[in-house]
Amino acid sequence: MATELTMPQMGYDMKEGTLVRWLKAEGEEVSIGEAVAEIETDKAVVEFESTEAGILHKLLVVEGDVVPVGQAVALVGAAGEEVSIDSEVAPSDSLPSVEEEQEIDEPTPAVDTGPSDVPVQEPPTNLQEVRASPIARRLAAERGVELSQVKGTGPGGRITKKDVLSVEPSQAPTEVPVISSDIESPAPASPVSVADEVVPLTRMRAQIARVTTRSKTEIPHFYVTTQIDMSDAMALRRQINDNLKDDGVRVSVNDLIIKACVNTLKKYPKLNAYFSEEGIELHSAINVGIAIAEEDGLTMPAILDCGSKSLAQIAAASDDLIQRTQSGTLQPDEYTGGTFSISNMGMFEVTSFAAIIQPPQSAVLAVGTVQKIPVIRDDQVTVSEVMNATLSVDHRVSDGAEGARFIVEVKNQLENPLKLVM
Amino acid sequence: MPEIITREAIRLGLQEALESDDRVFLMGEDIGAYQGSYAVTKGFLEQYGDERVRDCPIAESGIIGAATGAAMAGMRPIVEMMTINFMLLGIDQVVNHAAKLSYMSNGQIQVPLVIRAVTGGGGRLAATHSQNFEGWFASVPGVKVAVPSDPYDALGLLRTAIADPNPVIFAEHSMLYGRRGEVPEEPYVVPFGEAIVRREGADVTLATYGRMVYTSLEAAETLSTRGIEAEVIDLRTLNPLDTDTVVQSVRKTNRVLVVEENWRTGAFSAEIASAVHEEAFDDLDGPVGRVNGFDVPAPYNAKLEDASIPTAERIIEELERLYNP
C-alpha cells in the first residue's frame, strides 16, 4: 500500500508551505532522506526529503500550490503497486482540509437584532444592487463585512453605519489573541482613520507579526540589564584573530557572547528550556539562535549543539549559518531547534535594548554596542570598552534572582575571557 | 459680564466706531429724526449731529452709491438698509460697484463700506418685507456677509466688519434684536470665516445661521429626549464660509442637515450641502439634507407664515426621512 508524503512542519509557527519545485517526477525511485521537492516556508526555501523509500507513484499537488502542514503532497509505494487516489488522500480527521478552512473564513450571516417593525429589504441577490451609505461601504470594506449579508435599517432599506457596526462583532478575526475572555471588546473607533497606502504583508512580515504577538501575549517577560566591561574580551579577540588568521579563524564579538552564554547555560539549564503545560522541558543540547536581519525582517536560526563546540568552532558555525541564511539553504532543525537566543545590535550604535523571546524558548539576550566610556576601576577613572546587555526571561520558567545570576555569570565570563577558550 | 440685547450690542459697536474714528458716519432711512425703524440709532442724531448721522431719502441705489463713493474717498460709511428687501433697489451699486472697485483698480481703490441690513421673516410683514437675501450677496466675489445670531457675535462681527477694507453686508435678523446674551466689557472681535459649535452632539450635525440657530437648538433638545444628540453649528459668516467646521463635525456624526430660513430653490444651504458632499462623502450615512423655507411668498397670515418657515418639527421629520437614525 502506498504511503503519503506530507507537508512537514518546518517552523514553530508554520501552518502551510508552498511547494516551489518538484525534484523528482512520477515513477522515479526515491530513498529515505532524498530530496523530492523544494518547499518555501515563511522564512526560506528548503529541500523536502522523502520519509519513505519506493517509487514516487503520484504527485498530489502542482508546483506553486500552498499546502497546509500535514496534508499529503505525494504517494510513495512499491513498484507496480496500484494507487487509488480517492482512498489514499482523504484528509485525516485531525487536519482541516483547505475547503473546510475556507468555509470557516466565510462570513456568517448577520443576526437579525433590529426591531421587527423596521422596514425589511428583501435579501439582495446578485442581480439586485446593495444599497449602502458611503460610510457604511467604507466601514464594511475596512472590517471585512460582506454588505450583502447586512440588513439595512435606513430609509428604503439602505445599509447604514449602525447596521455595519452591529454585525461587526461576529466578524471579528478569530486569530486575534484573546488575553482574557471577560475583557469587553473595544468600541469601534469613529471616525476611522484611513491609511494612504497599504503595503501587503510579505510571508516573513506576517510570520514575524504572528510570532512576536504570540510571544508578547503568552509569555510574561521580565528583563534584567547589566553593564559588561569588554576590554579584556576585545583584547583576547584581537590576539586570537591576529595569531590564528592563517588557520582561517575569525572570531566576532558575537561569537564571544555566544560562548559566554553557552558556558552560563550549562550552569542554569532552566534558561535553556521550553515552557509547557506539562512542565518545563529542559534540553541537554544548547542550540543558540542568532537574530539575522534581512531585507524586510529577520530570521533567528540556531547554531546547533553549541555545548560541545569550542570558540573557534562556534565562530565557524556562525559564519556558515549566516551565509546559508542569505542563500536560503537553512535546514528545518536550524529554524525550530533553538533553545536560547541572542540579538546583537552592536553594529547600529545602540546602547541597549530589550528583545522579544522567540517562542517556545525561555530567554533571549539583547546586546548593544561595545563602546569606550570612562569607568571607575580601583577608585580611578579609566577608559574601558563597555557593552550593555539585557536578558529577557519567561517568568513562567524562571525568576528575577536566577535571571540576575545568569546575566552576572555572562558578565563574569566576558570579563574573564580565558574562560571562553578553556 | 453684562447681559444686553442684540440691538444694544449693535448700538455699542456703532457708538464705539463713531467715537474712535472721525471717518465713520451713518447713512440710512429714518435713522436720525425717527431714531431708526428698529431703534438701533435711537438718540444718535442728538449725540453725534446730522453730519455723522445722515437721514436719507427713500433711494437705496443713491444711498449705497453715495456711501461707496465716500468709502472710495477715504471715509468709513456705515449704511442702514431698513430692510434687506429694499436693497434690491441698490443691488447694482453693491454688485457692480462696491464689490468690483478694488479688483478693477488693481487694489488702488478700497471700499471699506458696511451695509447693515435687516433681514428675515416671522414679523407679520407680508410678502415684500419678510425675505432673506443675505445668501444672494454671499455668492458675489468681493462682498463679505456676516449673519450674527446673538449680542456677542453682533458686536464682535460688527467690529470686524468696520475694520475690513472691503464691502461687508451685515445682515441683522429682525426677530433677534431683542435676544439677550453676555457681552464682555473688555475689547474682543469675532473674526470672519470661523463658525462656532453652539451645541455639541455625536449623532447629527445641524449647520445653520441667524434665527435658525435657535430653531435648530430647539430641535436638538427634542431629539435629545429620544437619545439623539445633535451638534448645532452657527456659521456666523456666509462669505467667507467655514466649511471645515461643518465637515469636521460630519466626520464625527455622519449625518447632516443644513437649516436655512430662505426659500429652498437656489438657497445658500445648497452651496453648503454641496461642499459637504464634496469634502465628506465617504463619511456620510445618507444624503446631506436641507431644511429651508417653502418656495412661497411669505404669507401675511400668522399661522401660514409660521408654517412657511422651518420649524423644529420639520428638522426632525427631515432627519427621520433621510437617515432614520
Side-chain angles (χ1 to χ4, degrees), chain A residues 49-363:
Chain A
E49 296 166 359
S50 178
T51 51
E52 302 293 330
I55 303 297
L56 192 58
H57 280 305
K58 185 76 187 167
L59 306 182
L60 300 171
V61 300
V62 298
E63 291 177 355
D65 275 3
V66 178
V67 183
V69 167
Q71 186 170 306
V73 296
L75 297 178
V76 175
E81 190 175 5
E82 284 283 319
V83 179
S84 160
I85 293 180
D86 285 346
S87 63
E88 299 288 353
V89 297
S92 64
D93 289 340
S94 60
L95 292 160
S97 72
V98 174
E99 278 169 7
E100 278 166 352
E101 280 197 336
Q102 279 171 347
E103 270 173 25
I104 292 162
D105 287 342
E106 292 241 325
T108 50
V111 179
D112 179 5
T113 53
S116 56
D117 58 346
V118 166
V120 178
Q121 193 192 13
E122 284 178 23
T125 67
N126 286 341
L127 297 172
Q128 194 173 358
E129 199 178 315
V130 173
R131 288 162 60 90
S133 75
I135 184 133
R137 286 184 188 280
R138 204 184 79 195
L139 286 175
E142 282 169 10
R143 282 148 204 262
V145 173
E146 186 62 50
L147 279 174
S148 61
Q149 304 296 319
V150 180
K151 199 189 75 178
T153 63
R158 184 173 67 228
I159 297 166
T160 64
K161 175 185 174 185
K162 187 174 64 180
D163 301 330
V164 174
L165 293 179
S166 73
V167 301
E168 204 270 332
S170 66
Q171 301 287 340
T174 50
E175 285 188 18
V176 170
V178 177
I179 296 166
S180 169
S181 57
D182 56 13
I183 290 176
E184 279 183 33
S185 60
S190 179
V192 178
S193 150
V194 189
D196 293 325
E197 189 192 350
V198 176
V199 179
L201 293 178
T202 60
R203 293 179 71 85
M204 182 178 284
R205 274 259 69 81
Q207 165 79 0
I208 291 168
R210 271 198 304 275
V211 171
T212 53
T213 302
R214 194 156 175 179
S215 173
K216 276 290 194 173
T217 312
E218 288 179 0
I219 300 178
H221 288 58
F222 74 84
Y223 310 94
V224 188
T225 302
T226 194
Q227 194 177 61
I228 300 171
D229 189 331
M230 294 290 285
S231 305
D232 293 346
M234 299 303 277
L236 176 72
R237 172 176 170 250
R238 280 188 288 274
Q239 207 180 341
I240 292 171
N241 286 347
D242 287 349
N243 291 325
L244 300 177
K245 191 163 46 181
D246 297 340
D247 298 335
V249 173
R250 201 190 163 280
V251 173
S252 69
V253 177
N254 205 51
D255 298 331
L256 297 171
I257 298 164
I258 294 170
K259 185 62 181 171
C261 287
V262 169
N263 289 352
T264 308
L265 285 164
K266 287 176 180 169
K267 293 185 186 177
Y268 299 97
K270 272 167 79 181
L271 299 187
N272 194 54
Y274 298 164
F275 176 85
S276 78
E277 295 300 331
E278 286 72 40
I280 295 162
E281 301 170 3
L282 302 177
H283 302 281
S284 53
I286 298 173
N287 304 328
V288 178
I290 52 176
I292 299 173
E294 297 198 51
E295 198 174 326
D296 176 44
L298 82 160
T299 13
M300 269 199 160
I303 305 171
L304 301 178
D305 198 21
C306 291
S308 63
K309 285 188 168 67
S310 69
L311 180 60
Q313 286 169 325
I314 284 174
S318 170
D319 269 354
D320 176 53
L321 192 76
I322 291 166
Q323 277 175 24
R324 284 188 299 109
T325 300
Q326 284 156 357
S327 63
T329 54
L330 289 169
Q331 294 304 303
D333 275 0
E334 291 171 322
Y335 283 123
T336 57
T339 56
F340 178 90
S341 290
I342 294 169
S343 183
N344 187 337
M345 291 223 258
M347 64 295 259
F348 295 122
E349 293 189 34
V350 165
T351 320
S352 69
F353 70 105
I356 295 176
I357 296 167
Q358 167 103 339
Q361 298 168 28
S362 305

Side-chain angles (χ1 to χ4, degrees), chain A residues 365-385:
Chain A
L365 187 74
V367 296
T369 306
V370 177
Q371 55 185 347
K372 285 187 178 177
I373 61 164
V375 298
I376 295 169
R377 192 185 282 168
D378 301 332
D379 284 345
Q380 295 291 316
V381 177
T382 176
V383 173
S384 272
E385 292 182 276

Side-chain angles (χ1 to χ4, degrees), chain B residues 197-208:
Chain B
V197 176
R198 293 287 182 205
R199 181 189 193 282
E200 288 192 7
D203 301 322
V204 59
T205 301
L206 303 177
T208 187

Side-chain angles (χ1 to χ4, degrees), chain A residues 378-409:
Chain A
D378 301 332
D379 284 345
Q380 295 291 316
V381 177
T382 176
V383 173
S384 272
E385 292 182 276
V386 160
M387 175 184 84
N388 291 314
T390 298
L391 181 72
S392 310
V393 182
D394 183 344
H395 216 320
R396 300 171 302 179
V397 169
S398 181
D399 308 308
E402 188 171 36
R405 283 194 288 272
F406 180 93
I407 200 164
V408 167
E409 178 59 26

Side-chain angles (χ1 to χ4, degrees), chain B residues 76-251:
Chain B
R76 314 287 287 201
I78 302 173
V79 166
E80 177 178 306
M81 286 282 112
M82 188 183 290
T83 85
I84 205 164
N85 306 278
F86 306 161
M87 258 186 96
L88 301 188
L89 288 153
I91 202 166
D92 174 64
Q93 290 298 335
V94 175
V95 175
N96 277 329
H97 301 280
K100 299 290 192 293
L101 283 160
S102 176
Y103 171 75
M104 295 182 77
S105 69
N106 194 25
Q108 295 177 84
I109 298 170
Q110 300 291 312
V111 185
L113 165 67
V114 177
I115 302 174
R116 297 177 39 242
V118 180
T119 189
R124 317 294 181 237
L125 293 170
T128 60
H129 290 63
S130 305
Q131 302 167 103
N132 304 266
F133 293 134
E134 57 276 2
W136 289 15
F137 290 105
S139 75
V140 179
V143 176
K144 296 182 180 177
V145 177
V147 283
S149 69
D150 69 4
Y152 181 94
D153 281 6
L155 179 54
L157 289 169
L158 186 58
R159 284 172 174 154
T160 304
I162 292 168
D164 200 291
N166 301 290
V168 177
I169 312 290
F170 193 83
E172 303 165 9
H173 198 291
S174 65
M175 304 301 285
L176 296 181
Y177 278 124
R179 187 156 280 277
R180 194 166 286 280
E182 289 186 337
V183 174
E185 281 170 357
E186 50 276 14
Y188 71 93
V189 295
V190 174
F192 285 0
E194 287 187 14
I196 187 169
V197 176
R198 293 287 182 205
R199 181 189 193 282
E200 288 192 7
D203 301 322
V204 59
T205 301
L206 303 177
T208 187
Y209 70 89
R211 187 189 180 196
M212 288 296 114
V213 169
Y214 302 99
T215 310
S216 300
L217 286 170
E218 184 191 336
E221 289 311 310
T222 306
L223 286 168
S224 183
T225 64
R226 304 184 195 173
I228 297 166
E229 297 302 334
E231 182 145 296
V232 177
I233 294 174
D234 183 349
L235 296 165
R236 301 208 283 193
T237 57
L238 300 185
N239 189 350
L241 179 66
D242 178 6
T243 37
D244 286 353
T245 297
V246 181
V247 166
Q248 272 173 33
S249 175
V250 173
R251 291 205 201 289

